[in-house]
Amino acid sequence: MTETVKTLKSWIEQTDNIVFFGGAGVSTESGIPDFRSTDGLYHQQYDYPPETILSHSFYERNPEEFFRFYRNKMLYLDAIPNAAHKKLAEWEDSGRLKAVITQNIDGLHQKAGSRNVLELHGSVLRNYCAKCGAFHGVEEIVSSTGVPRCHCGGIIKPDVVLYEEGLDEDVMMRAVSAIRHADVLIIGGTSLTVYPAAGLVRYYRGDKLVVINKTALGAGADLTVTEPIGEVMAQL
């Protein structure tokens, strides 16, 4: 265990008010590729760039191509929680962790047992009819072909925030409150380049801001760990 991880471990042991803010790097160790790494979605070849396909205007204009990409590259239903997900759930059970704020849409935090999860970008596990509002499980998206349709004829839209769409205001307000009141804020697996989510960090008022990221941009952090997050969390 490095001295940096030892310091982090001591901070964790001395508080019962931890908030975790995570991104794609938390799930890469579960086999879910991120967007901007060498092997991520942004470096694969498609007729359109992934950020174009995953935009609201593209979804409206070409839903069949949107859902073809979505089924192929956004659904990893066999993925299982890794050490980071499990440790966070353990901290919540022991009363140390107050909230998980995530940019991920895979539902792995809940699968690991976390309950207070604020999903900034929604979840692939939730889907709603754009016409009547009926809920549909992800299995209906997987088993369908072309554009998935509700019994009423409306399109079944995943409850994920696409480019050009706004974040849920209630989720954002709860995230701001959790961060503002945290003693220890751990940022893991995110380069903090996607706004408005990345702007949440400025609401932190404490002096124990931790960044755990293999390519950590630790500017402003009180502690920076540039090791795989699952390996780090397993030591805590």
Side-chain angles (χ1 to χ4, degrees):
M1 185 183 296
T2 65
E3 288 302 316
T4 304
V5 175
K6 286 181 180 177
T7 298
L8 176 55
K9 184 177 175 65
S10 70
W11 287 1
I12 297 303
E13 292 173 346
Q14 294 169 21
T15 185
D16 62 357
N17 189 4
I18 306 165
V19 170
F20 180 85
F21 182 6
V26 177
S27 292
T28 53
E29 291 174 60
S30 292
I32 299 179
D34 65 28
F35 279 83
R36 295 176 177 82
S37 68
T38 301
D39 298 318
L41 291 178
Y42 277 37
H43 293 266
Q44 300 178 24
Q45 299 299 312
Y46 296 95
D47 292 339
Y48 304 89
E51 62 267 38
T52 297
I53 300 175
L54 295 173
S55 68
H56 180 82
S57 56
F58 188 92
Y59 163 80
E60 292 281 347
R61 185 173 67 251
N62 196 342
E64 187 150 343
E65 181 67 7
F66 169 88
F67 279 104
R68 184 177 74 85
F69 177 88
Y70 184 82
R71 290 189 187 93
N72 290 340
K73 295 299 177 184
M74 302 303 291
L75 299 178
Y76 293 85
L77 303 184
D78 293 330
I80 60 176
N82 60 53
H85 299 105
K86 294 175 182 177
K87 180 60 68 172
L88 292 168
E90 178 185 313
W91 286 347
E92 183 179 359
D93 279 342
S94 67
R96 294 185 182 279
L97 184 80
K98 301 309 181 189
V100 169
I101 303 166
T102 181
Q103 295 172 294
N104 297 335
I105 59 176
D106 50 49
L108 288 181
H109 285 293
Q110 292 92 331
K111 189 178 287 188
S114 291
R115 297 177 298 279
N116 190 21
V117 181
L118 302 176
E119 296 171 310
L120 298 177
H121 296 155
S123 172
V124 299
L125 302 182
R126 299 188 300 269
N127 304 271
Y128 298 93
C129 174
K131 184 177 180 181
C132 73
F135 173 83
H136 294 269
V138 66
E139 296 79 10
E140 293 185 59
I141 301 292
V142 174
S143 62
S144 63
T145 57
V147 179
R149 297 280 179 178
C150 177
H151 55 80
C152 75
I155 296 177
I156 300 174
K157 183 181 183 295
D159 187 21
V160 299
V161 178
L162 304 177
Y163 289 99
E164 304 167 352
E165 294 181 344
L167 303 189
D168 183 280
E169 290 187 10
D170 178 63
V171 174
M172 284 288 284
M173 288 178 62
R174 291 166 62 195
V176 167
S177 178
I179 288 174
R180 190 189 297 275
H181 293 98
D183 289 337
V184 177
L185 174 62
I186 302 175
I187 301 170
T190 175
S191 57
L192 293 178
T193 57
V194 178
Y195 285 82
L200 288 171
V201 179
R202 72 175 184 269
Y203 291 100
Y204 180 58
R205 297 291 183 264
D207 58 1
K208 293 182 176 65
L209 174 60
V210 182
V211 172
I212 307 173
N213 200 32
K214 287 191 293 185
T215 56
L217 302 174
D222 299 297
L223 197 66
T224 301
V225 186
T226 55
E227 301 170 46
I229 187 167
E231 295 179 15
V232 175
M233 298 289 275
Q235 301 175 64
L236 300 177

